[in-house]
């Protein structure tokens, strides 16, 4: 049972405020019992926008100076509000050109001469062809977000965008093979 306090003469109501109230609400949710529903074996996603940058074909490097316009579908304009307040964003894209690639390798030999399973590389030839990149936010206007450093070619479908949060997304002690 929730208790609300009246704040206006018109009969409008507002929830109680304050840090203790917020903590109590989340504590209650965290302690509630919850049974996870079965996970689906197949997932269908819809593009929420498309990359526009004039880059015609995939390339292994040279993305750091590429500026891309992320053109979101009009129904997502309001969902972008405030994205320009962040310096960077995580962009999830569907690498549609890779989906049609004739080869579907299980392993790759990298420039270092070392062999890795495809899931241990950043190759676009992954089973689900998902790309996840961090890019610098340059600007935002309506349904368009301008970014720099996104490694995606022109026309790539965007599945999601999230602000980059250093406390969650940065791992200073991360290491890579041979480094």
């Amino acid at each position: 049972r929730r208790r609300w306090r009246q704040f206006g003469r018109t009969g409008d109501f507002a929830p109680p405020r304050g840090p203790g109230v917020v903590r109590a609400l989340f504590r209650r949710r965290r302690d509630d019992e919850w049974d996870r529903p079965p996970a689906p074996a197949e997932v269908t996603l819809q593009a929420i926008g498309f990359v526009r940058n004039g880059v015609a074909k995939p390339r292994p490097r040279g993305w750091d100076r590429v500026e891309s316009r992320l053109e979101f579908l009009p129904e997502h304009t309001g969902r972008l509000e405030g994205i320009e307040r962040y310096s960077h964003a995580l962009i999830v894209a569907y690498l549609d050109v890779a989906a049609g690639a004739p080869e579907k390798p299980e392993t790759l030999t990298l420039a270092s001469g070392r062999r890795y399973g495809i899931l241990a590389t950043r190759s676009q030839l992954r089973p689900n062809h998902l790309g996840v990149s961090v890019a610098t936010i340059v600007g935002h206007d309506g349904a368009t977000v301008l970014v720099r450093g996104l490694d995606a070619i022109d026309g790539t479908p965007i599945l999601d965008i999230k602000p980059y949060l250093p406390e969650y997304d940065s791992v200073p002690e991360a290491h890579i093979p041979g480094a």
Side-chain angles (χ1 to χ4, degrees):
R1 190 171 120 214
R2 293 184 182 155
R3 293 184 184 187
W4 304 90
R5 63 183 158 86
Q6 190 171 7
F7 73 92
R9 285 186 246 186
T10 62
D12 294 336
F13 290 88
R17 291 194 166 95
V21 172
V22 172
R23 278 193 300 273
L25 287 173
F26 283 108
R27 184 173 43 251
R28 204 173 308 131
R29 284 187 182 163
R30 186 179 21 194
D31 295 340
D32 287 348
E33 286 191 34
W34 183 75
D35 292 325
R36 189 198 193 296
E42 188 173 307
V43 178
T44 303
L45 301 172
Q46 300 293 317
I48 61 171
F50 297 89
V51 175
R52 301 291 177 217
N53 59 17
V55 177
K57 63 181 185 174
R59 58 187 185 195
R61 58 188 61 81
W63 295 99
D64 53 332
R65 284 178 264 126
V66 173
E67 287 200 354
S68 300
R69 284 185 336 275
L70 308 182
E71 295 179 351
F72 290 87
L73 300 177
E75 61 264 33
H76 300 294
T77 302
R79 294 179 173 115
L80 294 166
E81 184 178 337
I83 195 76
E84 73 283 352
R85 295 181 189 142
Y86 296 89
S87 64
H88 293 77
L90 289 162
I91 294 119
V92 181
Y94 179 66
L95 307 175
D96 58 312
V97 174
E103 53 189 73
K104 309 286 188 217
E106 285 191 20
T107 63
L108 285 178
T109 301
L110 301 183
S112 66
R114 293 185 177 149
R115 188 171 147 171
Y116 291 92
I118 199 73
L119 297 177
T121 73
R122 296 295 299 251
S123 171
Q124 67 272 26
L125 299 175
R126 318 180 72 68
N128 287 314
H129 310 294
L130 293 180
V132 179
S133 297
V134 174
T136 303
I137 298 173
V138 176
H140 167 227
D141 183 29
T144 302
V145 176
L146 185 63
V147 299
R148 185 179 309 110
L150 175 63
D151 57 341
I153 65 172
D154 194 75
T156 298
I158 302 164
L159 300 176
D160 202 358
I161 183 170
K162 298 179 181 198
Y164 178 89
L165 303 175
E167 66 266 27
Y168 294 111
D169 302 317
S170 176
V171 185
E173 67 275 7
H175 68 275
I176 60 172

